[in-house]
């Protein structure tokens, strides 16, 4: 019987002892299909069954014992002891009678039993006179054969009580072995169906799907892999085959990333080029996730390969355009700075203003180059930007400026107002504060308080510490940059050693 999904439903409880088979399952039309479901060919001369028949013969002091299976036309000895023949014709079978009973069938003297007196196995070899057979009945109630012993000498007293009980115990052991074999077949069939479903599912997805064992050796590719690479289906799915279509320039990085994932048991991700069936190289992203057992050990890897070549090339085009724009913007900063100085050359009264404005423009240029560089190393961290902006004053331990504290993510939009803020602070300090004296020092520290980043500017060794009488353009610029562009706040304090400034800026404002 099968359930709605096609899976064989097998009764789990054994057939009750001393109960005759189900009459509805005694006919061959019903019995034989059930018998076929055991797949008994692989159990011929099975070691466990052989031990059972040998013990049955010793227990009953008989020269011969067999596990007999009744098919349509033959009686087949699945296990045997004391007999060379592998089978006999079903028409002469004693076990065919025994399997229909509700208990052990005992024939004290076959020559005196009208059912068997003229049987060829009685009148001829092996000249059976005494027979005892315990019926083999499946959990559904279908008779399939018998565990029997027989002798060429009649036994008027039949079996002893212990022998009869022992034969039933051995009969039950035979059926447990047969049922175990059937469960294995059903389990294998279910596994095969699951694998076929998984294969069909894997073949239906547009990406390449793969699987690897715990050691990282690839053992499965879906249909898409063969279509994409043009490799023959007969080519074994292994690591060597896979890497044969990976670009040589990407092999080392791929292997390093894969080895790292295997060692750590963490998900794998790497971009590399794969040769398509038409010979072109296309960028793909490989991803893999490990499957862990209850002990946490990796038992399997599953993953995909996704063609990202179009997006990769679009990204390269955008990067090329961005670099070109960055180069032109940087040139604009240089041109504007040059124009300011050029225009002020004949206007002495504007010289100081022009120099200050030129320095501010150059600071913007440095900030722009930090977040949108022409090279490959792009900055995205606030301390890095501060190091760039403060570099003209000397950065690091023992220098005039020291930057310390937490790592803070920095976005492109926030870099410009921050460049103006710290350029203004540094310029004022160089004119009037700590940076105007050789022994003066500035410390810039970064800290986090919840979702807010605190940036402290502390000067020591400034001359005089005089508080400005009025707020100038620089102070206005600072307030506007902090409040309007970064949605933050600023506190100033003039001490005897110099200016102290605290900026409180939302982390999300710095990250964009």
């Amino acid at each position: 019987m099968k359930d709605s999904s096609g899976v064989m439903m097998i009764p789990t409880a054994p057939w009750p002892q001393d109960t005759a088979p189900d009459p509805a399952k005694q006919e061959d039309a019903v019995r034989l299909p059930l018998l076929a479901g055991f797949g008994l060919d692989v159990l011929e001369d099975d070691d466990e069954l052989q031990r059972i028949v040998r013990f049955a013969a010793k227990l009953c002091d008989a020269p011969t014992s067999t596990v007999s299976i009744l098919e349509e036309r033959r009686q087949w000895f699945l296990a045997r002891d004391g007999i060379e023949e592998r089978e006999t014709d079903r028409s002469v079978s004693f076990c065919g009678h025994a399997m229909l009973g509700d208990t052990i069938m005992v024939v004290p003297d076959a020559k005196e039993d009208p059912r068997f007196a003229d049987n060829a196995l009685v009148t001829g070899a092996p000249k059976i006179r005494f027979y005892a057979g315990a019926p083999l009945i499946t959990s559904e109630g279908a008779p399939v054969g018998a565990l029997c012993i027989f002798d060429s000498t009649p036994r008027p007293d039949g079996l002893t009580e212990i022998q009869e009980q022992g034969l039933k115990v051995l009969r039950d052991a035979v059926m447990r072995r047969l049922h175990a074999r059937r469960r294995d077949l059903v389990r294998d069939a279910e596994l095969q169906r699951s694998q076929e479903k998984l294969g069909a599912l894997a073949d239906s997805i547009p990406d390449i799907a793969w699987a690897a064992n715990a050691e990282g050796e690839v053992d499965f590719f879906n249909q898409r892999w063969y279509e994409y690479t043009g490799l023959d289906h007969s080519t074994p799915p292994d690591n060597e085959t896979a890497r044969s279509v990976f670009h040589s320039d990407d092999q080392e990085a791929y292997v390093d990333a894969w080895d790292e994932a295997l060692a750590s048991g963490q998900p794998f991700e790497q971009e590399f080029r794969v040769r398509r069936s038409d010979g072109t190289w296309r960028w793909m992203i490989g991803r893999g996730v490990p499957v862990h057992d209850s002990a946490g050990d990796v038992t399997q890897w599953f993953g995909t390969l996704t063609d990202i070549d179009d997006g990769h090339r679009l990204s390269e085009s955008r990067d090329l355009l961005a670099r070109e724009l960055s180069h032109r913007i940087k040139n604009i900063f240089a041109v504007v700075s040059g124009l300011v100085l050029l225009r002020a050359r004949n206007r002495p009264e504007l010289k100081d203003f022009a120099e200050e404005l030129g320095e501010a423009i150059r600071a913007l240029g440095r900030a722009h180059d930090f977040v949108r560089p022409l090279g490959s190393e792009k900055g995205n961290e606030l301390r890095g930007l501060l190091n760039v902006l403060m570099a003209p004053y000397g950065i690091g331990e023992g220098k005039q400026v020291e930057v310390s504290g937490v790592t803070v993510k920095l976005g492109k939009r926030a870099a410009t107002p921050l460049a103006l803020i710290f350029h203004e602070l540094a310029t004022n300090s160089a004119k009037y504060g700590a940076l105007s004296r050789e022994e003066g020092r500035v410390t810039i520290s970064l800290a986090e308080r919840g979702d807010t980043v605190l940036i402290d500017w502390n000067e020591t060794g400034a001359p005089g510490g005089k508080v400005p009488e009025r707020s100038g353009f620089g102070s206005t610029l600072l307030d506007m940059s902090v409040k309007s562009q970064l949605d933050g706040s600023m506190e100033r304090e003039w001490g005897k050693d110099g200016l102290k400034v605290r900026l409180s800026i939302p982390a999300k404002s710095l990250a964009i």
Side-chain angles (χ1 to χ4, degrees):
M1 182 183 298
K2 297 182 180 180
D3 64 13
S4 58
S5 62
V7 176
M8 179 69 71
M9 297 177 62
I10 301 174
T12 56
W15 191 251
Q17 284 195 3
D18 299 326
T19 303
D22 184 346
K25 295 182 175 63
Q26 294 182 17
E27 296 297 327
D28 279 358
V30 178
R31 190 183 69 84
L32 293 178
L34 289 172
L35 177 61
F38 284 85
L40 296 181
D41 288 353
V42 299
L43 291 185
E44 188 170 78
D45 294 334
D46 174 73
D47 183 63
E48 184 176 348
L49 295 178
Q50 285 297 123
R51 290 199 301 270
I52 290 174
V53 294
R54 284 195 295 268
F55 186 74
K58 290 180 180 180
L59 174 68
C60 298
D61 193 22
T64 308
S65 176
T66 69
V67 172
S68 301
I69 301 299
L70 275 296
E71 296 182 342
E72 183 178 10
R73 298 182 182 278
R74 69 167 180 165
Q75 173 180 247
W76 172 34
F77 302 140
L78 190 60
R80 67 200 194 285
D81 183 57
I83 187 172
E84 293 297 325
E85 287 79 1
R86 177 68 66 186
E87 61 183 59
T88 65
D89 193 275
R90 180 178 172 178
S91 62
V92 297
S93 169
F94 280 61
C95 293
H97 294 270
M99 72 178 185
L100 299 178
D102 58 3
T103 188
I104 296 175
M105 183 183 84
V106 178
V107 180
D109 188 346
K111 279 191 174 182
E112 301 299 324
D113 191 315
R115 294 173 297 176
F116 306 112
D118 297 328
N119 189 294
L121 299 179
V122 176
T123 59
K127 295 186 177 294
I128 297 174
R129 297 292 297 276
F130 173 73
Y131 171 91
L136 300 177
I137 303 173
T138 71
S139 54
E140 300 91 346
V144 294
L147 168 63
C148 72
I149 57 99
F150 53 88
D151 195 350
S152 58
T153 301
R155 298 187 189 183
D157 296 331
L159 296 174
T160 67
E161 184 178 352
I162 292 298
Q163 289 172 335
E164 186 170 333
Q165 290 178 356
L167 205 57
K168 289 181 179 180
V169 170
L170 295 175
R171 179 269 317 275
D172 292 343
V174 170
M175 288 311 303
R176 282 195 295 272
R177 182 70 183 100
L178 268 55
H179 282 127
R181 165 60 183 165
R182 182 167 67 172
R183 285 194 298 272
D184 288 345
L185 283 178
V186 171
R187 193 158 40 242
D188 290 345
E190 291 175 353
L191 178 60
Q192 179 65 27
R193 281 192 292 270
S194 296
Q195 290 176 337
E196 290 173 355
K197 289 180 180 179
L198 179 61
L201 175 62
D203 287 339
S204 68
I205 64 177
D207 287 349
I208 293 170
W210 57 268
N213 61 23
E215 290 71 38
E217 186 67 30
V218 174
D219 53 20
F220 169 79
F221 282 116
N222 67 343
Q223 177 67 21
R224 177 64 175 151
W225 164 260
Y226 298 99
E227 294 173 352
Y228 193 93
T229 62
L231 293 174
D232 190 89
H233 281 77
S234 61
T235 306
D238 55 30
N239 289 6
E240 183 178 356
T241 300
R243 293 172 189 171
S244 70
V245 293
F246 292 179
H247 199 288
S248 58
D249 291 348
D250 305 329
Q251 292 264 0
E252 184 176 354
Y254 168 84
V255 171
D256 289 346
W258 183 226
D259 288 346
E260 182 179 347
L262 291 176
S264 66
Q266 296 299 309
F268 163 79
E269 183 171 312
Q270 184 69 19
E271 293 182 10
F272 48 91
R273 284 163 288 183
V274 176
R275 187 179 65 242
R276 199 168 59 179
S277 58
D278 61 3
T280 60
W281 292 100
R282 296 191 53 91
W283 282 98
M284 304 197 82
I285 184 168
R287 296 186 177 95
V289 293
V291 177
H292 297 86
D293 60 16
S294 58
D297 297 324
V298 175
T299 60
Q300 187 84 22
W301 288 82
F302 292 104
T304 58
L305 297 178
T306 305
D307 189 319
I308 58 169
D309 194 77
D310 292 341
H312 197 280
R313 295 184 187 280
L314 179 60
S315 179
E316 286 182 337
S317 299
R318 288 174 175 171
D319 287 345
L320 179 62
L321 179 59
R323 286 195 295 272
E324 178 62 23
L325 289 173
S326 182
H327 178 74
R328 297 191 179 194
I329 291 171
K330 202 174 177 188
N331 285 343
I332 290 173
F333 282 134
V335 169
V336 171
S337 180
L339 286 174
V340 169
L341 294 176
L342 182 63
R343 295 295 185 185
R345 182 176 298 173
N346 298 321
R347 304 282 296 275
E349 71 277 12
L350 298 178
K351 180 181 178 181
D352 291 343
F353 173 75
E355 288 179 353
E356 289 183 13
L357 183 57
E359 282 297 324
I361 293 172
R362 283 189 286 276
L364 290 175
R366 290 195 296 272
H368 172 81
D369 195 40
F370 179 76
V371 295
R372 293 184 182 273
L374 296 179
S376 60
E377 295 297 325
K378 184 175 74 170
N380 61 355
E381 198 272 312
L382 179 53
R383 283 174 59 180
L385 175 63
L386 294 175
N387 286 333
V388 169
L389 296 174
M390 297 295 110
Y393 306 98
I395 291 288
E397 187 176 352
K399 304 293 184 179
Q400 280 199 281
V401 180
E402 184 175 350
V403 182
S404 63
V406 299
T407 298
V408 178
K409 184 178 179 181
L410 178 67
K412 299 181 182 69
R413 289 175 57 184
T416 298
L418 285 170
L420 291 173
I421 291 168
F422 284 95
H423 169 73
E424 185 66 24
L425 290 173
T427 298
N428 288 337
S429 182
K431 286 182 178 181
Y432 315 112
L435 296 181
S436 67
R437 304 178 69 183
E438 185 175 346
E439 64 273 21
R441 296 290 184 268
V442 173
T443 60
I444 306 174
S445 59
L446 310 179
E448 291 179 323
R449 181 185 295 166
D451 296 330
T452 300
V453 176
L454 305 179
I455 308 172
D456 288 317
W457 169 284
N458 292 314
E459 298 185 27
T460 57
K466 182 180 180 181
V467 180
E469 295 180 356
R470 63 182 179 86
S471 297
F473 172 75
S475 298
T476 302
L477 179 64
L478 287 178
D479 289 334
M480 180 180 68
S481 298
V482 173
K483 296 178 182 178
S484 301
Q485 295 184 264
L486 297 175
D487 196 26
S489 63
M490 179 172 63
E491 300 172 7
R492 298 183 187 87
E493 179 184 344
W494 289 88
K496 63 179 182 178
D497 280 343
L499 177 65
K500 298 182 185 298
V501 177
R502 165 163 285 190
L503 304 176
S504 301
I505 304 174
K508 63 181 181 180
S509 297
L510 294 174
I512 59 177

